[in-house]
Amino acid sequence: MILGARQGAWSRLRRLAAYASAQTLEAIVVPGPEVAGAYGLDLEGAGIVVAASPRHAGVLVVVGPVPAELREAATVLYAGMMRPRIVLALGAGELTPLPEADVAVELSQQALLDGVHRLRTVLIEGAFHPDVIDFDALVLHGRTQYTCPMHPEVVRGEPGSCPKCGMTLVPHEVHGVPEHADPPQDEGAEAMGELPAPTPSDPHGVDHEAMAGDPSRAYTCPMHPEVVQDAPGSCPKCGMTLVPREAPAGAGAHGHAGHGGMEHAPAAHTAGPEYTCPMHPEVVQDAPGSCPKCGMTLVLREAPSGSTMEEPEAHSGMDHARMGHGDRAFMSMVAVTRDLPRSADGLPMDWIEVPFGPLFPGLPGGLLLMFTLDGDAVAKAAVHSLVGGAAGALQPVGVVARDFARRIGGMDPLAPAAYRLLACRALEDAAGQEVDPARARARAGTLERERIASHLGWLGGFARQLGIERLARRASALQAALVRADSERIPALGLEVRALVRRIKRTPLLRRRLAGIGRLPGGAVVRGPVARAAGRADDARSADATYGALGFEPVVGARGDAFDRLQVRLGEIVRGLELIRAAGTVEDPGAPVIGTVSGTGAAAIETPRGVARLRLTLEQGRVVDAQLDTPSNGHLALVGPLVAQQELGDALIAVGSLDLSPWEAMG
C-alpha cells in the first residue's frame, strides 16, 4: 500500500480506476521542472506531465537534494493533493517532513524511466486500501489568530474587536507556528483612548458573568443566526464572536425588543447621552462600547426634536446636526479609513498580502514572492529565496582545492558547469597555472551548451506562465536532451533548437503581450541578458581571448522590456550553437591539480544569468578565504521597483522575464 492510498476495499471497479490513474501521471515537481531539465531529465518523455496545481496532481516528483525550507513547502502541497497520491524521489536524499518515498531511484534519465515503470505498478496495486494511513506533519498544524479586515496589522490571539475601528476580528490560520508563541501585537493599540478596553469576559464589553444566571440568555452568530449557544464563544462555521441573541417581545427586565437583548432605560429619558451603532440603529446603549451584532464602535446618538436630552455639539470633530443626518448619527468614513494606506490615486484602500511561490508555475522553484495588492495592482513586493546556497557553499573554508571546486559547482543546479569552471579558473590563477588553448576551447563549448540549456529551461517556465503549454513542453524536452548530449549529438539537436527559435519568433501577438512590461527603473544595476536587453553590451566573454578567437559578439537589445529579454535569449541560443561548432568539442572542466601552493586568485565567468566573480586565497593547497558575487543576488533587489503599481499579471511576467536563480542568493 502506498502512503497516499485512497480508502476502500478492492473491487473490480476500483482496480480499473487504479489502472486508469496510473496511465496519466500528472505531477508536481520539486524544486521545479527547470531543475529537472538542468539535470537532464525529460519528464514528458518518461510519461510525466507537469500539473497546473496540486489538486490536479497525483505524483510528487522530488529531484535532487532539496533544502529543508522548500521541503516544508512541498509538504503542504503534498497534503493538498487528491488521493491516491505517490512520491517519486530521484537522488533526493533526506525528505523529512515529506513522507518516505514510495519509489526512490538514482538521478538519471534511465533511472527515471525505471522509476516511472515501478511507480505505475505500485500505484495500480496500492491505490486503494481499507485502512489508509493518515499523513501528518508539524508544518501542517497551525493555530488561529484574529485580525481586523480593515487593519491587518492588528493581530490578536483571541477573538475581540479592533482597537482602531471597532470591527469584529476575524480568524486567520497560521501554519507551522508553535502553540506557545505569542502573536504579534499592534503597537500603539493600547494608546488609543477613544475605545473602551474589553472586559476579560467578552471582547465586546458585555459582562457575561453578570448574565451567567439568566436562563433566557442565549448567544448567536451575526452571520449564522441558526448557531445558538448558551455560553459565550465563537461561531463554529465562520469563527466570529457570538453575541447575545435578542430577547423576544415582552422579555421584561432582561431585554428590550430590538436592542439585541440589552437592558436599556426608556427612550424618552431626560438626561445622559445614548450610543448607537451606525449599521444597526436599533442598538442603543447608555454607555460607550461596541455593537453586539457587528462589533463596530457605538457613536453618540442625537436627541430627537423636543427631547430634553443634552445634545452633544460635535462627535469626532463633526457636527452631525448641521450635516442633515436627521435623528441618527453615522460614523464618519474619514475616521474609518484614516489609517488605511493610500492608492496611487489617493483613495484609501484595504491592501492584502498574497504569496506566489515557492512552487508557483512559471517562477523558479524556491523563489517566494510576497505581493501587497492594492486592488488588482501591486503596491509593493518582497522576495525571498528558500534555497539560496551561495553563502553556504563558501563555508566552512579550509577545504582542499578539488572539494572546493565540487562544492561551488553544486551550489546552483541551474548552472553547475559555469560555477565549477569559475572555481577552476580562480584556483588556476592562484596557482599561476596556464590553460592549454585546446582545453580552453572545449571549456567554452561546455559553457555555451549549458547557456543554451539554461535559456531553454527558462523558456519552458516562461511559456508555462504565459499559458503556451506546447511551447513549454518542447523547450523542456530540448533542454534535457541538450544537457545529456555529447559533441556528436549536439549538431542534430541544434537543428531542432533553431526550428523552435524560428517558430517562437513567428508566434502571433507575442510582441503585443510582452512589449513594455518589466522595463527597468532608472539607475538599475543589472548584468547578463537583462543588461544586454536594455542596450548595454555587458558581457564578460568580450574580454576573453578564447571567445575572441571563436568570433564572439554579444547579442544586444534596445528597450529593456520583457519582449527584448526574450529576444536576447533567443539570439544567444543561436549564437551559442555557432560557438560550440567553432570550438569543436565540449569538455567538463574538472578540477585542477593544485598541490600545496599558496596564493591569491580571482576569476570572472559569464554565467547564463550574467557575470559571476570569485576571489579566493590558498594556503598550502587549501582554500582559506573566498568571496563570491552572483548575478541573481543583485537582480533580486530589482523585483520591488520593477513591479510597483503594475497589474498582477504583468508583474508576474516582469519577474519571470528576469530569469532569477534563487540558488544564487547569498542570504
Side-chain angles (χ1 to χ4, degrees), residues 176-201:
V177 181
E179 293 185 0
H180 62 271
D182 294 328
Q185 297 295 322
D186 173 41
E187 296 182 3
E190 300 297 333
M192 300 184 65
E194 69 271 24
L195 296 173
T199 64
S201 57

Side-chain angles (χ1 to χ4, degrees), residues 358-393:
L359 296 167
F360 185 79
L363 294 177
L367 185 72
L368 175 60
L369 296 177
M370 185 64 71
F371 283 169
T372 301
L373 298 183
D374 175 13
D376 61 351
V378 178
K380 57 182 179 178
V383 61
H384 174 61
S385 170
L386 274 65
V387 296

Side-chain angles (χ1 to χ4, degrees), residues 204-574:
H204 293 295
V206 180
D207 189 357
H208 293 291
E209 293 183 359
M211 302 179 180
D214 185 358
S216 65
R217 183 66 58 183
Y219 301 87
T220 186
C221 174
M223 301 299 294
H224 302 92
E226 68 275 12
V227 175
V228 181
Q229 297 182 9
D230 57 1
S234 300
C235 175
K237 294 186 175 182
C238 65
M240 291 188 69
T241 303
L242 301 183
V243 299
R245 188 175 67 169
E246 295 184 8
H254 292 294
H256 187 281
H259 286 188
M262 303 293 294
E263 181 179 354
H264 300 290
H269 56 276
T270 59
E274 289 184 340
Y275 298 84
T276 185
C277 174
M279 301 299 294
H280 302 92
E282 70 274 10
V283 175
V284 180
Q285 295 184 13
D286 55 5
S290 301
C291 175
K293 293 187 175 182
C294 65
M296 292 189 69
T297 303
L298 302 182
V299 298
L300 280 172
R301 180 191 184 205
E302 296 190 3
S305 177
S307 172
T308 59
M309 184 177 74
E310 187 180 34
E311 182 177 9
E313 295 184 359
H315 175 64
S316 300
M318 303 182 68
D319 189 346
H320 296 284
R322 289 194 294 270
M323 293 180 67
H325 291 319
D327 61 350
R328 291 178 185 165
F330 290 87
M331 178 178 287
S332 167
M333 290 306 296
V334 174
V336 172
T337 62
R338 65 184 178 185
D339 294 320
L340 291 180
R342 261 46 180 180
S343 302
D345 56 7
L347 293 176
M349 293 288 290
D350 185 18
W351 291 1
I352 60 173
E353 288 189 346
V354 181
F356 291 89
L359 296 167
F360 185 79
L363 294 177
L367 185 72
L368 175 60
L369 296 177
M370 185 64 71
F371 283 169
T372 301
L373 298 183
D374 175 13
D376 61 351
V378 178
K380 57 182 179 178
V383 61
H384 174 61
S385 170
L386 274 65
V387 296
L394 303 177
Q395 300 294 334
V397 294
V399 298
V400 297
R402 182 177 298 274
D403 292 340
F404 180 79
R406 187 183 304 112
R407 179 186 296 176
I408 295 296
M411 177 195 75
D412 184 1
L414 300 179
Y419 282 100
R420 190 162 56 248
L421 178 56
L422 177 66
C424 290
R425 284 191 175 181
L427 290 168
E428 290 163 352
D429 184 60
Q433 296 180 358
E434 295 289 338
V435 179
D436 179 76
R439 188 181 183 191
R441 286 195 300 271
R443 285 179 169 183
T446 301
L447 187 58
E448 293 310 307
R449 179 182 63 176
E450 182 171 85
R451 190 183 318 279
I452 298 170
S454 179
H455 287 349
L456 287 171
W458 167 82
L459 183 60
F462 197 56
R464 190 168 288 111
Q465 190 181 81
L466 294 173
I468 314 175
E469 282 298 326
R470 185 176 179 181
L471 171 59
R473 293 194 298 268
R474 183 58 177 157
S476 298
L478 286 175
Q479 176 198 17
L482 193 64
V483 170
R484 300 193 307 269
D486 55 16
S487 301
E488 296 180 358
R489 173 66 176 146
I490 290 177
L493 281 175
L495 296 177
E496 300 181 49
V497 171
R498 289 174 187 269
L500 177 65
V501 170
R502 289 194 298 268
R503 192 178 310 133
I504 295 172
K505 290 186 175 181
R506 293 197 303 265
T507 301
L509 303 180
L510 193 58
R511 177 188 292 272
R512 181 174 296 181
R513 180 67 185 92
L514 300 177
I517 294 178
R519 287 188 173 173
L520 298 174
V525 179
V526 292
R527 309 178 193 176
V530 178
R532 293 190 284 276
R536 310 174 195 173
D538 180 80
D539 198 313
R541 291 173 291 177
S542 299
D544 191 306
T546 300
Y547 274 96
L550 296 176
F552 168 76
E553 291 183 2
V555 179
V556 181
R559 293 177 298 273
D561 55 14
F563 182 74
D564 266 15
R565 289 174 202 136
L566 170 64
Q567 295 300 312
V568 165
R569 292 190 180 99
L570 293 177
E572 290 190 349
I573 288 175
V574 176

Side-chain angles (χ1 to χ4, degrees), residues 76-112:
V76 177
L77 289 189
Y78 174 81
M81 292 166 57
M82 299 290 289
R83 293 173 180 263
R85 58 194 181 206
I86 194 166
V87 177
L88 171 62
L90 296 100
E94 177 64 41
L95 292 180
T96 308
L98 282 166
E100 183 179 351
D102 298 289
V103 177
V105 294
E106 296 179 353
L107 189 57
S108 68
Q109 181 66 19
Q110 184 58 50
L112 172 62

Side-chain angles (χ1 to χ4, degrees), residues 10-38:
W10 270 111
S11 66
R12 183 180 180 85
L13 182 60
R14 284 175 175 158
R15 186 176 296 276
L16 289 174
Y19 179 83
S21 64
Q23 303 313 303
T24 303
L25 300 176
E26 293 193 67
I28 296 294
V29 184
V30 181
E34 73 284 353
V35 175

